[in-house]
Amino acid sequence: MTVPPALAEEEHDSSPGDASLIAESLADPERFALLFDRHADDIHRYVSRRLGPDLADDVVSDTFLTAFRKRASYDLSRRDARPWLYGIASRLIRANRRAENRRNRLLARTPAPEPESFDERSAARVTSAQLQPRLAEVLTALSATDRDLLLLVAWADLTYEECAAALGMPLGTVRSKLHRVRAKIRRAFGGVDPTGTSEKGTS
Amino acid sequence: MTADEIEIFRDARPEAAPYDPFSKARARARLLDGPGPAPRHRFRWVLVTSIATAGALAAGLLFLNTTEPAGTEPKMVLSSLQPVSAAAYLEEFARIVEKRPEIRPRPHQWLYKKTRIKDSAASYEHVAESWMRLDGRMAASPNGPERKIVLDEQHPRKNEQTPLKRYDRLRTLSTDPEKLLARAYKAVDDGFAEKKAAIEKMQNPYRDFEAGELKEHMMEDNRHHAAYHRLAELFEGVLTPPRLHAAAFRAIAKIPGVEVLPEGTDLLGRPVVTVARMNQYGLRHEYLLDPATYVSLGQGAVVVRNDLRKRSGGAALGKDGQITPFPIRVRPIGESSYELREYAGIVDEAGQLPR
């Protein structure tokens, strides 16, 4: 029986990769818990950013339960299970779309903290903290897929390749969608560089 | 040069709340107990007792794991937790439950229940399945192998608690746990007072025996146990408003001797969370909850000790005019009787099953 490439590589590693754990968990389910140990914090951090802490606990639990149920269909050539897990989490986050929209609306309404000194206000640079309500508005206006892509990159630190794996789309599609998302963001800020570092900035 | 728009989102990302270790452990444990091969009988009991005295959490974290082969990595994350009180668990359940939206059922909807009764002493198992219209005027049950739905007119008396009347009454109850708790104890005490008055009026030979029984029944631990049942009724019901459901969890946490077993399976092999209290005779009354929604999955009682106080078995009037108590049967440990709720919910028509 040929061993999938990802597993063969690991003969020289000191710790088993995700693919090994998942393969082993087919016969010994409790190995799957080690996957939880590796990735639960990261998944939780991401889900918490999108849905807030209350829903995050349940969604993370459901993510791993779903992953466990589907583990037989995991592509063992993929050494890192994070994209797979983020993909499952993204689908569950979509099911909580109303809660996410509510949260985004709340963030959009929250007044940005005032700059502390006259000097800061007079500076051309606008801090990210002040941007948050506007960004929340932008998020709400994006399609679910665009939102997933943007936030997997920006809030989960996934690479484009990892996004492609997570959402099951070609790398080219990821690139072009994110290109359009950037354009949408620019338009939402009136064509102005939101950080005010551009020479063309007119606020 | 413009800053990258995606970087702006990255810099402005919201705070991520830390992953509460309790929730994390529970999620991990649920993973192990969840969909797996046929449930092995793992005896993982976290026996924690919350004593409702100020301060002291007499939390004994008793962790039994009988399936661990030597040398394997510990699989039960709860062993690494600080001892967690029943009150902490119940607060967690309350938090989840109170977020559910309140849905007012309509009078022409039906309450469906399918309950499996398993009694080990009588080696008895029986399934009861029925629909009850919420206005109390119709009932229905499936008949025969084709499950033909047979409708039955009901004639509720004026003061009878139809499901809808019960629901309306529940909605008027306070959701302040302290008030709910006080109300439960008051109801228990009122019940005792009523019984006492009734006994005093008795003219027959059973009167003294009954008076003795009542005295036994009014002992302090039994009083707590009766209050426990009254509060548990609230989260056991299908039609309990969510905020009352949560308040009942919070109130019951204040009763001495209430335990939570966060891991386990019921007699149907379903994962359950158990709220339990052992009475002074060694019988543990359990209310079983769904581990995800904390909705009731049934209830039951199991003999956990038979070396404590003996419960009277009743009495009979002999030919000599004397009251003779029946001999007390010592029940074997493990003897149990459960009502397991296989399905329950509100549907629009008799014959329909909940989603």
Side-chain angles (χ1 to χ4, degrees):
Chain A
M1 176 182 108
T2 50
V3 176
L7 294 183
E9 272 168 34
E10 285 157 27
E11 282 177 2
H12 304 292
D13 281 7
S14 50
S15 72
D18 291 346
S20 289
L21 283 181
I22 294 174
E24 285 164 28
S25 79
L26 293 172
D28 183 7
E30 292 178 354
R31 296 295 277 165
F32 199 83
L34 297 179
L35 201 75
F36 179 94
D37 292 338
R38 275 185 192 174
H39 298 305
D41 283 338
D42 284 347
I43 302 285
H44 189 271
R45 192 170 307 124
Y46 177 65
V47 178
S48 176
R49 287 188 166 129
R50 289 196 63 175
L51 295 179
D54 292 333
L55 283 173
D57 291 347
D58 293 335
V59 168
V60 171
S61 181
D62 287 345
T63 299
F64 282 91
L65 276 173
T66 305
F68 180 84
R69 275 198 287 267
K70 297 170 68 167
R71 69 196 193 285
S73 61
Y74 180 78
D75 179 355
L76 291 169
S77 68
R78 296 188 186 279
R79 199 170 178 276
D80 181 1
R82 279 166 67 245
W84 180 61
L85 292 169
Y86 275 109
I88 296 171
S90 294
R91 251 168 280 134
L92 290 172
I93 290 171
R94 284 205 199 183
N96 282 283
R97 172 191 25 218
R98 263 194 242 133
E100 191 182 12
N101 287 342
R102 225 179 299 135
R103 179 175 152 83
N104 285 341
R105 279 198 294 274
L106 221 79
L107 283 176
R109 277 205 300 270
T110 310
E114 287 292 299
E116 288 190 357
S117 72
F118 182 76
D119 290 62
E120 281 182 54
R121 225 183 330 223
S122 65
R125 169 174 280 281
V126 176
T127 64
S128 293
Q130 287 186 294
L131 277 177
Q132 199 164 58
R134 282 270 223 121
L135 297 185
E137 270 169 30
V138 168
L139 279 182
T140 311
L142 289 177
S143 77
T145 307
D146 285 351
R147 197 184 321 178
D148 282 343
L149 274 174
L150 170 63
L151 297 180
L152 282 175
V153 172
W155 292 0
D157 300 323
L158 258 54
T159 64
Y160 283 18
E161 288 86 347
E162 288 169 339
C163 283
L167 299 181
M169 58 178 64
L171 182 56
T173 310
V174 170
R175 280 199 228 279
S176 61
K177 278 189 186 282
L178 281 174
H179 181 75
R180 280 197 289 274
V181 165
R182 283 201 183 82
K184 278 188 196 164
I185 296 171
R186 265 198 307 279
R187 275 199 302 277
F189 282 91
V192 170
D193 173 6
T195 63
T197 56
S198 157
E199 285 170 3
K200 289 190 283 187
T202 51
S203 48
Chain B
M1 176 170 118
T2 57
D4 184 65
E5 290 80 0
I6 293 184
E7 285 312 304
I8 293 159
F9 268 87
R10 193 193 304 275
D11 291 339
R13 58 196 182 187
E15 285 278 305
Y19 200 173
D20 170 42
F22 177 98
S23 303
K24 184 175 181 182
R26 194 160 52 105
R28 192 186 194 277
R30 196 184 288 174
L31 194 60
L32 294 170
D33 257 349
R40 303 176 227 174
H41 203 63
R42 294 179 197 170
F43 247 71
R44 300 189 191 143
W45 284 15
V46 174
L47 184 78
V48 288
T49 322
S50 93
I51 308 287
T53 52
L57 281 181
L61 191 68
L62 176 70
F63 173 75
L64 302 174
N65 187 323
T66 59
T67 64
E68 210 85 282
T72 53
E73 181 184 337
K75 296 179 179 71
M76 184 56 192
V77 174
L78 278 174
S79 63
S80 65
L81 276 185
Q82 301 305 310
V84 180
S85 68
Y89 280 112
L90 287 158
E91 177 57 35
E92 181 66 16
F93 306 161
R95 272 191 47 219
I96 302 292
V97 155
E98 69 191 344
K99 288 182 230 169
R100 259 191 249 125
E102 183 166 341
I103 302 167
R104 188 173 190 278
R106 298 188 301 281
H108 283 251
Q109 287 182 306
W110 300 71
L111 171 59
Y112 170 77
K113 275 199 208 170
K114 182 176 181 199
T115 310
R116 183 176 297 264
I117 297 162
K118 276 167 103 79
D119 186 321
S120 76
S123 301
Y124 168 87
E125 188 168 324
H126 170 69
V127 176
E129 190 177 1
S130 68
W131 288 262
M132 168 68 89
R133 209 165 74 180
L134 297 188
D135 65 4
R137 299 240 180 88
M138 292 288 267
S141 55
N143 267 26
E146 300 104 34
R147 294 173 54 83
K148 182 164 152 41
I149 303 300
V150 172
L151 294 170
D152 245 316
E153 254 186 59
Q154 307 286 299
H155 302 280
R157 293 186 301 279
K158 192 152 177 262
N159 293 332
E160 197 170 316
Q161 282 274 295
T162 63
L164 206 59
K165 276 198 192 153
R166 182 172 184 268
Y167 179 81
D168 286 339
R169 187 180 60 88
L170 289 181
R171 287 193 75 239
T172 67
L173 294 185
S174 167
T175 54
D176 175 334
E178 288 289 352
K179 290 200 178 132
L180 211 56
L181 185 72
R183 203 173 167 280
Y185 277 102
K186 179 168 190 302
V188 169
D189 291 337
D190 287 350
F192 287 155
E194 238 178 76
K195 192 99 206 272
K196 189 152 186 249
I199 289 172
E200 269 156 25
K201 290 205 186 90
M202 279 171 86
Q203 305 271 345
N204 65 42
Y206 281 102
R207 180 187 150 149
D208 287 342
F209 176 78
E210 289 288 344
E213 293 278 274
L214 182 63
K215 199 157 165 238
E216 168 87 4
H217 202 52
M218 283 172 72
M219 293 175 72
E220 188 182 345
D221 192 80
N222 263 355
R223 187 173 172 262
H224 292 313
H225 204 75
Y228 163 73
H229 278 307
R230 288 204 83 97
L231 286 172
E233 256 170 45
L234 293 177
F235 55 75
E236 209 245 337
V238 177
L239 280 178
T240 303
R243 286 179 47 226
L244 186 66
H245 191 155
F249 281 150
R250 292 181 168 121
I252 214 172
K254 299 170 195 276
I255 298 182
V258 172
E259 303 166 327
V260 172
L261 287 72
E263 302 290 316
T265 52
D266 72 359
L267 295 176
L268 299 178
R270 302 178 295 185
V272 291
V273 166
T274 308
V275 177
R277 191 177 189 283
M278 186 183 75
N279 71 11
Q280 62 190 20
Y281 308 108
L283 185 68
R284 188 174 70 214
H285 279 100
E286 304 182 340
Y287 289 91
L288 312 176
L289 307 173
D290 182 307
T293 60
Y294 306 114
V295 152
S296 169
L297 287 180
Q299 56 163 306
V302 56
V303 177
V304 294
R305 292 185 64 171
N306 56 15
D307 56 333
L308 301 175
R309 220 178 162 75
K310 299 286 175 279
R311 187 170 191 157
S312 143
L317 185 63
K319 289 212 183 80
D320 52 359
Q322 298 290 342
I323 300 290
T324 319
F326 287 127
I328 295 165
R329 180 173 81 93
V330 175
R331 304 169 74 166
I333 292 186
E335 189 175 280
S336 71
S337 172
Y338 283 94
E339 253 179 53
L340 300 162
R341 184 171 292 164
E342 291 194 11
Y343 293 102
I346 306 294
V347 294
D348 289 326
E349 297 289 335
Q352 281 180 351
L353 295 181
R355 177 193 48 86

